[in-house]
Amino acid sequence: MKSFLLSLLLCSWSLLACADPAIQVENAWVREAPPGAQMMAAYMTLKNTGSSDVTLENITSPTFRMVMLHKSVIVDGVARMSHQDSLPIPAGTSVALEPGSYHLMMPAPEQRLHSGDLVEFNLQFADGGTVRVQAIVRKKP
Amino acid sequence: MKIRIIPMLLAAVLLSACSPPQPPQLQQGTLLPDAKIIADFQLTDQNGKPFTRKNLMGKWSFTFFGYTHCPDVCPTSLSMLAQVMKKLEQDKTPGAKPQVVFFSVDPERDTPEVLAQYLPYFNPDFIGVTGDPQQILRLTRQLGILYGKSPGESADDYLVDHSASILLFDPDGNFRALFGTPHDPDRIAQDFVAIRNYYEASR
Ligand SMILES: [Cu+2]
């Protein structure tokens, strides 16, 4: 019970690593959407510092009604986004969600987000662990 | 020795002045061996005004085919084109400044109103074009641009697969060169100047 309370306390302190300390999230950001854009994308680097493989299975956010895991690929000059059911992060490796590759894709909220705003994502892993991530909205190519 | 070199140099200069200019070595782009003349098309710009082949004439045009519901590849390409324009800003040669035209391959959702909101974010001069799907197909078919819907999470959430290349049109309104991915603004700006100089020299 004591350790549970302690971890609860730690969780509320640190938004970055919570419940799944093997996963470290770095450089989480959301691309500021142009006016009129209905979709947004978010990026981050997921680092698995543990000794067992983990799989990202689901993402939720209080800001967005839906968060999808996508991958952009360009095959024979044609850009295509494909839905990913999950994203494996083998032990000791890191996976980058970055422009032109893996990304989170969300419908833009009613209230337009601006550069500097903070939004939260909840990453849920196959082993039951979750990681709460704070991402900053940025105007970036 | 000196006396012999001078006439040789002179001959070389004269020879180069007479022979046709050589196509430039490009870093990223592919120059078409012959500019491709395209058939006319009837589309609409973001202000609701007609946009036809004529609007591609009189200046150079960088064109990109995408859709506004695309949050990853399309904004990256449009920001990249905004950077290219910034790099070309210092060039004061008359007629040097190209225009950037974004053709929507999702005319159902990309109305002129949506494009008018969306494009100035990248650069106030960017032109957005949409319209009759048949007319978009008529244009893209001639250019080898491919696109097609792919299902999303729900019926109106569909995605659109689309060619990621940037196409360059010359001031005659002809398709001149193509830039494949990944796009680098420095290289594209330098290639553009090389293509423009070659075009001018060939006239
Ligand atoms: Cu996506």
Side-chain angles (χ1 to χ4, degrees):
Chain A
M1 190 61 195
K2 229 183 199 171
S3 76
F4 172 74
L5 278 175
L6 188 69
S7 69
L8 204 69
L9 192 68
L10 282 171
C11 281
S12 59
W13 270 351
S14 158
L15 281 173
L16 279 181
C18 165
D20 206 334
I23 292 291
Q24 277 176 20
V25 180
E26 284 165 7
N27 192 25
W29 63 285
V30 175
R31 187 201 301 274
E32 187 188 73
Q38 299 296 311
M39 288 290 171
M40 301 185 75
Y43 308 95
M44 61 191 73
T45 300
L46 302 174
K47 226 182 194 171
N48 183 355
T49 58
S51 53
S52 49
D53 301 350
V54 297
T55 303
L56 176 63
E57 276 200 329
N58 193 37
I59 308 106
T60 59
S61 167
T63 310
F64 305 102
R65 62 177 166 82
M66 179 168 62
V67 183
M68 297 169 278
L69 179 62
H70 273 191
K71 188 180 187 186
S72 292
V73 286
I74 295 178
V75 180
D76 296 330
V78 176
R80 144 178 318 147
M81 285 192 290
S82 64
H83 183 86
Q84 311 285 304
D85 285 327
S86 60
L87 177 64
I89 308 154
T93 69
S94 63
V95 174
L97 279 67
E98 58 190 3
S101 178
Y102 288 109
H103 57 274
L104 305 183
M105 182 154 136
M106 308 81 68
E110 294 273 306
Q111 198 85 41
R112 191 167 170 249
L113 293 169
H114 293 96
S115 183
D117 289 350
L118 295 172
V119 295
E120 205 180 284
F121 292 99
N122 276 295
L123 313 184
Q124 291 156 20
F125 294 88
D127 63 0
T130 60
V131 174
R132 207 146 50 131
V133 179
Q134 208 175 49
I136 186 161
V137 179
R138 279 206 223 153
K139 188 172 178 163
K140 210 176 157 181
Chain B
M1 192 61 186
K2 259 186 195 162
I3 297 161
R4 234 185 263 166
I5 287 172
I6 291 169
M8 271 168 68
L9 273 174
L10 205 71
V13 167
L14 283 173
L15 207 70
S16 73
C18 298
S19 61
Q22 289 302 302
Q25 290 291 318
L26 301 180
Q27 302 176 66
Q28 170 146 54
T30 307
L31 191 67
L32 270 60
D34 296 298
K36 188 172 164 54
I37 300 167
I38 52 160
D40 203 5
F41 55 89
Q42 304 287 330
L43 290 166
T44 309
D45 75 8
Q46 80 274 27
N47 300 313
K49 295 214 183 81
F51 192 98
T52 67
R53 184 170 175 264
K54 252 192 215 141
N55 296 85
L56 292 175
M57 294 163 79
K59 52 173 79 170
W60 290 88
S61 310
F62 280 110
T63 65
F64 181 71
F65 298 79
Y67 66 116
T68 69
H69 276 63
C70 155
D72 185 45
V73 168
C74 299
T76 305
S77 298
L78 286 166
S79 300
M80 197 286 308
L81 280 169
Q83 281 174 270
V84 172
M85 293 301 283
K86 214 166 233 167
K87 288 181 195 302
L88 293 172
E89 236 165 37
Q90 290 89 346
D91 193 340
K92 300 292 179 213
T93 319
K97 194 186 167 194
Q99 62 180 1
V100 173
V101 186
F102 174 83
F103 287 97
S104 173
V105 291
D106 184 16
E108 274 172 54
R109 297 185 295 195
D110 289 342
T111 59
E113 293 75 23
V114 168
L115 295 180
Q117 276 188 295
Y118 182 84
L119 283 163
Y121 178 82
F122 299 98
N123 179 315
D125 296 329
F126 280 12
I127 299 164
V129 177
T130 184
D132 177 9
Q134 287 306 314
Q135 289 291 321
I136 293 170
L137 200 60
R138 180 183 162 87
L139 171 64
T140 51
R141 265 193 190 150
Q142 304 179 61
L143 303 171
I145 293 289
L146 304 173
Y147 61 94
K149 276 186 196 176
S150 85
E153 306 293 303
S154 65
D156 56 347
D157 251 356
Y158 61 87
L159 307 171
V160 185
D161 302 341
H162 60 94
S163 293
S165 300
I166 287 165
L167 271 48
L168 180 69
F169 287 76
D170 67 25
D172 302 317
N174 300 331
F175 174 24
R176 261 279 156 184
L178 173 141
F179 299 92
T181 53
H183 296 129
D184 177 77
D186 284 305
R187 290 181 179 184
I188 291 181
Q190 285 162 20
D191 280 357
F192 167 72
V193 172
I195 294 169
R196 191 186 65 207
N197 291 342
Y198 171 62
Y199 169 87
E200 295 295 340
S202 313
R203 270 144 63 94

